[in-house]
Amino acid sequence: MPGWIVFSVAAALFQCWRTAMQQRLRDQLSVNAAGVVRYLYGVPLGVALAAGYGVAMGYSLPAIGLLVLGLCAAAGFLQILGTNLLIMAFGYRNFAVGTAYSKTEAMQTAVVATILLGEHLSPLAWAGICVGVGGVLYLSLAGRGTTPMELLRGVTQPAALCGIGAGFCFGFTGVLIKAANQAMPGDDLIFKALLILAMTNAMQTVMQGGYLAWREPAQFVAVFRSWRISAQVGTLSALGSACWFSAFALAPVAMVRAVGQVEILFTLAFSRFYLREKAKRADVVGALVVVSGVVLVLLGR
């Protein structure tokens, strides 16, 4: 099995796991503080992964130019912005619409990567992306009484606009990370991906951490008081990002995001086997559609 597929599936698993852990922080930290812990506590592991891999392979630190630093900073900022937009979508009354539109991330990523990176996908891969997005949309709206026509009519609602914006930011983040990897000197794509992870997380810590210290000083202190749970969230976040960044380096960004949609299957599995919630028929149908989309993407690669 190609390495990028393994990295994509692992990234989806870590992301699902991190989200579940992050729920435990909702009563202790604000939105911005919960975001900061992902980066602050992820930096040590990111640095350790890059340093350990470099030492094991006998590499030295490559020359990192301003272009790479700028791309990492832009990617980090867009990821922060996307997270905040998604949370804003949750705050509106029709949060289901906002969530559903954010799931168009894979499609938006494919379009942006085609324009900016010149990535070309086969017709079968494009079909797989469309099918996968349809399955994720179905799972997002199942049981909420929202029809496809209502979804289309609601495209101008604030929740939908925030959701679309969040999906765009997340998709664009992957494209910028790939561009940073291509711009960095060196032949080992994994080593470069780990270096980019360490730099991006450090910049995100400064950006969102500085904002938190300025606007919410009490929450800035709370970030350190909650270190037991926050450290777990940061660790899972760093592991997930390491897998995402490595997959982006090895394969087209759009295909990585498409395969990464299996995250919703991990969510359903967590609900069924850990929380002992009974699976609904709509969940099974949606899961099969998502799997079909991923299979088409893999066949079209």
Side-chain angles (χ1 to χ4, degrees):
M1 182 181 294
W4 72 270
I5 299 178
V6 177
F7 281 130
S8 300
V9 174
L13 175 59
F14 284 128
Q15 186 165 296
C16 176
W17 193 355
R18 184 212 74 213
T19 301
M21 289 295 300
Q22 205 165 17
Q23 298 301 315
R24 297 174 59 184
L25 292 172
R26 292 181 62 183
D27 297 331
Q28 303 179 43
L29 301 176
S30 67
V31 171
N32 281 308
V36 167
V37 302
R38 289 179 53 188
Y39 315 123
L40 173 65
Y41 290 98
V43 168
L45 180 58
V47 172
L49 288 173
Y53 187 90
V55 171
M57 301 300 291
Y59 296 144
S60 58
L61 189 66
I64 299 173
L66 292 178
L67 176 59
V68 174
L69 291 176
L71 289 170
C72 290
F77 177 76
L78 278 176
Q79 188 176 47
I80 293 172
L81 181 59
T83 301
N84 287 347
L85 283 172
L86 186 58
I87 293 172
M88 288 172 63
F90 293 156
Y92 289 106
R93 185 174 181 181
N94 198 352
F95 68 93
V97 173
T99 305
Y101 274 114
S102 72
K103 301 302 183 182
T104 61
E105 172 193 347
M107 182 63 69
Q108 295 191 67
T109 301
V111 174
V112 174
T114 299
I115 296 173
L116 297 184
L117 297 179
E119 294 184 350
H120 298 291
L121 304 178
S122 68
L124 191 58
W126 276 104
I129 291 173
C130 293
V131 171
V133 169
V136 174
L137 286 173
Y138 179 78
L139 283 170
S140 301
L141 299 173
R144 300 186 184 276
T146 303
T147 65
M149 287 305 299
E150 289 174 335
L151 189 66
L152 289 174
R153 285 196 296 267
V155 72
T156 57
Q157 293 179 2
L161 295 176
C162 288
I164 293 172
F168 176 79
C169 288
F170 292 142
F172 208 164
T173 296
V175 171
L176 291 174
I177 292 299
K178 173 99 174 186
N181 195 295
Q182 293 175 340
M184 184 182 292
D187 298 322
D188 193 316
L189 301 178
I190 304 300
F191 182 50
K192 293 195 292 182
L194 295 177
L195 289 174
I196 290 169
L197 167 65
M199 291 187 296
T200 303
N201 273 0
M203 292 178 181
Q204 288 173 313
T205 300
V206 172
M207 285 188 282
Q208 197 164 18
Y211 178 83
L212 187 69
W214 173 47
R215 302 289 296 183
E216 304 176 57
Q219 285 294 309
F220 185 78
V221 176
V223 164
F224 295 96
R225 289 177 178 169
S226 64
W227 68 269
R228 288 181 177 84
I229 300 178
S230 296
Q232 297 177 57
V233 172
T235 298
L236 291 170
S237 179
L239 289 173
S241 294
C243 290
W244 282 127
F245 290 12
S246 298
F248 292 152
L250 297 173
V253 179
M255 295 184 69
V256 172
R257 286 300 193 191
V259 173
Q261 290 180 123
V262 298
E263 177 193 354
I264 202 162
L265 303 184
F266 292 132
T267 301
L268 293 175
F270 179 83
S271 171
R272 174 66 181 89
F273 297 107
Y274 183 74
L275 299 179
R276 302 297 179 184
E277 297 175 347
K278 187 177 180 180
K280 299 177 182 177
R281 188 166 135 190
D283 294 339
V284 176
V285 173
L288 291 174
V289 174
V290 172
V291 171
S292 300
V294 172
V295 170
L296 288 175
V297 168
L298 296 179
L299 290 176
R301 69 187 174 85

